[in-house]
Amino acid sequence: MKKYNLRHLVFALIAAAGMVACDSDLLETIPNDRLSENAFWKTENDAKLAVNALYNDLDGTNILSWDALTDIAHTNQNFEVQAYIELGAYDATSSKVYTEWTNAYKGIRAASYFLENVDKVTSTNAGLINQLKGEAKVLRAYQYIKLAGFFGDVPLVTTPISIEEGRALKRTPVAEIWDFIDKELNEAAALLPVSYTAADKGRATQGAALGLAARANLLAGRYQKAAEAADKVIKLNVYGLNESYEKLFSYAAENNKEVLFDKQFIKDTYQHSVFQILAPYSQRNGGSTFVPTKNLIDAYETLDGKLITDAASGYDPKKPYVNRDNRLKYSVFLDGDILPSGIAFKPQPNSGTADAIGSTYIASTTGYNTKKYINTEDYANPANSGINIILLRYAEVLLTYAEAKIELNQIDASVLAAINTVRNGRNDVKQPSVTSTAQAELREIVRRERTVELALEGQRLFDIRRWKIADKVMPGPIYGITYVNAAGALVTVQVVAANKVFDVNRHYLWPIPQKERDLNGLLTQNTGW
């Protein structure tokens, strides 16, 4: 299934049932404006088409917005709905909160509908039907991982329900949600193959199921289960790091050995607008919608493995990007970088360029822009990108394994190997190996590795919540580049009229959307909302 060629089939059409008319003759008529349930669920191909459509509900570019709700990135325009979340000025009526809720339950309903109906298909190929069930289970569990991370207790729904049944739902304790996710993903892993032929690239695999189980259990603080699931992925011996971090988010690297799970796209057919969303303003009016902050840039070590706050690091604030972990320049557009159009990126307020801070309200207010997913191939038509959006990769699995073992205080050579593979297992990333076996030190190292390795990929919000550090790292002004002004002095940019807020008494979970509570009075609200 190369890039989901069959995703034009909208699942809603599959789910739509033909209306039964009073005229008995019409009972024999097959509707020609939609797919009838009575005409569907007949063949193996019907089942394949149906599961293909479930992938439409996976996250795409929206994951890029999540880091902007943390300390390492910023929603660039203060009138964007999610900017109010960053500033703490939101409540249960937030459309961002509501959209994430409804999109997740849309995917859950679709997967549950599939699982309830697929056994109607006449097939002698039990292996294929089981594989398709496994895919649906992975896709449903993926949605529940998000819901549990965002909201905590949420309704656990595993079958299609009526409107009236929906109005009687109650929130399920989050511990039970995590139980369900783990069970669902382990059942899926037993049904799925390790890999597919080229025509079916992009389908959920055994590795995707186990990798998501590792993620879910880490989020839940179930470290033994997280370590075991991650270890199973490692022992499949089919995944590894892409040789180049720089090229990891390029068209040339699609479907590489590091990708466990992604949402696949194709130009002109099933496209998105990541270039338009993230690119600097000079690049055909790129939106700079979510931009990195100084907090992220400062997290990258020097090439000899020291923090820039270390007096022995040799860090020079006048040359802040020299002698730094290469992942920095591969993740963020920095001063002097050559942009897809061929011009140099010059964000300083006194640069006189389209990317200068303050030149327009769209230009990055921090002076940094995200480089991941920005490809020259998309420059000509920024709203027509076909680059796949990676949802889970092997580097995360390695760091999950290491973190879980550290928290269990089961520190051995395998823990250091996992961390050091991420730090120096690529041709273009060669940070010094970690040798310490002290739990507290390793905890800080693995957390920093997650920050820089997975930067701007949508994991930071869940991390700082589960580590219970969000109320410490989030609040305060937003800072950007440091540059030399006309007087020759070093100046650090502070974003105007923006102050991040994180209330420890309520912001560790989002509120249950008010629209949902208006429809169902049995849905309780999270503390503080």
Side-chain angles (χ1 to χ4, degrees):
M1 186 178 66
K2 181 64 172 176
K3 289 209 162 197
Y4 303 136
N5 325 359
L6 302 175
R7 57 164 82 247
H8 298 91
L9 178 61
V10 180
F11 193 86
L13 295 179
I14 300 171
M19 298 297 291
V20 178
C22 294
D23 188 332
S24 61
D25 290 340
L26 294 180
L27 295 177
E28 304 302 322
T29 302
I30 297 176
N32 58 16
D33 64 340
R34 60 196 180 277
L35 291 173
S36 167
E37 279 192 1
N38 293 329
F40 203 73
W41 301 115
K42 301 295 185 184
T43 67
E44 291 174 1
N45 194 52
D46 288 346
K48 291 174 72 173
L49 290 173
V51 86
N52 288 352
L54 300 182
Y55 287 87
N56 291 330
D57 293 316
L58 279 174
D59 290 310
T61 56
N62 64 305
I63 69 170
L64 307 174
S65 72
W66 298 342
D67 276 9
L69 301 175
T70 75
D71 56 325
I72 67 169
H74 169 55
T75 302
N76 201 47
Q77 283 84 48
N78 59 12
F79 51 79
E80 289 279 348
V81 63
Q82 97 154 26
Y84 296 102
I85 297 179
E86 188 179 355
L87 304 179
Y90 70 108
D91 57 24
T93 65
S94 167
S95 62
K96 172 70 172 178
V97 170
Y98 179 67
T99 297
E100 294 289 358
W101 174 286
T102 55
N103 285 350
Y105 274 111
K106 177 176 177 287
I108 288 166
R109 178 178 175 83
S112 297
Y113 177 85
F114 173 88
L115 290 166
E116 186 172 85
N117 286 278
V118 68
D119 284 331
K120 295 176 182 177
V121 169
T122 301
S123 173
T124 58
N125 189 347
L128 172 63
I129 299 303
N130 283 334
Q131 172 207 306
L132 299 178
K133 288 179 180 178
E135 292 179 56
K137 284 176 173 288
V138 167
L139 296 167
R140 184 166 64 179
Y142 173 88
Q143 303 293 351
Y144 271 116
I145 293 172
K146 283 191 308 174
L147 286 170
F150 282 139
F151 300 100
D153 300 352
V154 293
L156 179 59
V157 186
T158 59
T159 59
I161 58 175
S162 68
I163 293 175
E164 288 307 311
E165 288 172 319
R167 288 175 175 159
L169 289 174
K170 294 182 180 180
R171 296 171 68 192
T172 303
V174 71
E176 294 180 31
I177 301 294
W178 293 125
D179 288 342
F180 170 77
I181 291 167
D182 185 65
K183 179 175 180 290
E184 187 92 329
L185 289 170
N186 279 286
E187 287 177 357
L191 300 173
L192 291 167
V194 172
S195 62
Y196 295 96
T197 61
D200 281 324
K201 284 288 187 183
R203 292 189 184 277
T205 61
Q206 186 178 128
L210 293 171
L212 287 172
R215 173 189 287 180
N217 282 298
L218 188 71
L219 293 179
R222 299 176 176 185
Y223 300 119
Q224 189 63 47
K225 284 180 174 290
E228 289 170 359
D231 189 49
K232 288 178 182 178
V233 176
I234 294 167
K235 288 178 177 174
L236 288 175
N237 291 318
V238 297
Y239 299 105
L241 299 186
N242 192 51
E243 287 78 4
S244 170
Y245 191 91
E246 180 183 16
K247 302 300 182 184
L248 184 56
F249 302 91
S250 69
Y251 283 96
E254 286 189 330
N255 300 313
N256 71 78
K257 64 183 178 180
E258 185 165 346
V259 178
L260 275 75
F261 198 43
D262 63 5
K263 186 170 186 178
Q264 302 218 335
F265 294 88
I266 187 167
K267 282 178 179 285
D268 303 318
T269 301
Y270 190 70
Q271 71 274 25
H272 56 81
S273 56
V274 68
F275 191 104
Q276 190 173 58
I277 293 169
L278 296 179
Y281 180 65
S282 65
Q283 303 303 287
R284 291 186 174 270
N285 296 336
S288 301
T289 308
F290 311 114
V291 296
T293 65
K294 186 176 187 293
N295 281 351
L296 173 60
I297 277 62
D298 288 353
Y300 291 88
E301 299 171 350
T302 58
L303 286 174
D304 59 358
K306 293 183 173 63
L307 300 179
I308 64 170
T309 53
D310 186 333
S313 69
Y315 173 73
D316 182 354
K318 293 183 178 180
K319 299 177 181 178
Y321 316 126
V322 174
N323 192 40
R324 301 291 294 279
D325 180 342
N326 284 339
R327 287 173 292 186
L328 170 56
K329 66 182 180 182
Y330 299 148
S331 302
V332 179
F333 280 114
L334 306 170
D335 179 40
D337 282 352
I338 301 303
L339 298 169
S341 67
I343 67 171
F345 181 58
K346 290 291 181 182
Q348 304 92 327
N350 56 6
S351 69
T353 69
D355 294 319
I357 295 171
S359 64
T360 169
Y361 71 92
I362 299 176
S364 172
T365 52
T366 65
Y368 298 115
N369 277 88
T370 301
K371 186 178 285 187
K372 290 178 177 179
Y373 292 114
I374 302 301
N375 289 286
T376 303
E377 293 93 326
D378 293 332
Y379 175 73
N381 191 347
N384 186 26
S385 176
I387 190 72
N388 296 340
I389 302 296
I390 301 172
L391 301 176
L392 176 65
R393 55 189 180 90
Y394 188 58
E396 180 188 337
V397 173
L398 291 173
L399 293 175
T400 293
Y401 174 80
E403 182 179 349
K405 297 280 279 186
I406 290 166
E407 293 303 323
L408 292 166
N409 206 17
Q410 297 174 359
I411 298 166
D412 57 20
S414 69
V415 173
L416 298 183
I419 296 172
N420 290 329
T421 298
V422 175
R423 287 176 61 82
N424 53 44
R426 305 177 193 272
N427 294 335
D428 55 4
V429 176
K430 296 296 180 185
Q431 290 302 105
S433 291
V434 172
T435 58
S436 173
T437 56
Q439 184 185 37
E441 186 176 355
L442 281 176
R443 179 181 291 127
E444 291 306 309
I445 289 170
V446 79
R447 289 183 178 187
R448 186 164 59 252
E449 279 301 311
R450 283 187 66 90
T451 303
V452 300
E453 173 68 26
L454 306 176
L456 311 170
E457 296 178 45
Q459 292 303 305
R460 180 68 173 173
L461 180 60
F462 303 107
D463 283 348
I464 62 175
R465 282 179 167 189
R466 66 186 177 85
W467 293 333
K468 299 301 179 185
I469 64 169
D471 59 296
K472 300 175 181 64
V473 301
M474 275 281 291
I478 301 166
Y479 295 104
I481 63 171
T482 298
Y483 70 102
V484 179
N485 67 10
L490 278 176
V491 178
T492 297
V493 167
Q494 180 177 336
V495 178
V496 177
N499 201 67
K500 287 180 183 277
V501 173
F502 193 96
D503 184 344
V504 68
N505 295 313
R506 65 177 189 167
H507 288 158
Y508 272 101
L509 290 174
W510 278 353
I512 304 302
Q514 189 59 46
K515 287 185 178 179
E516 295 297 316
R517 299 189 70 230
D518 289 342
L519 292 170
N520 178 4
L522 297 178
L523 290 178
T524 57
Q525 187 54 278
N526 279 324
T527 302
W529 296 102

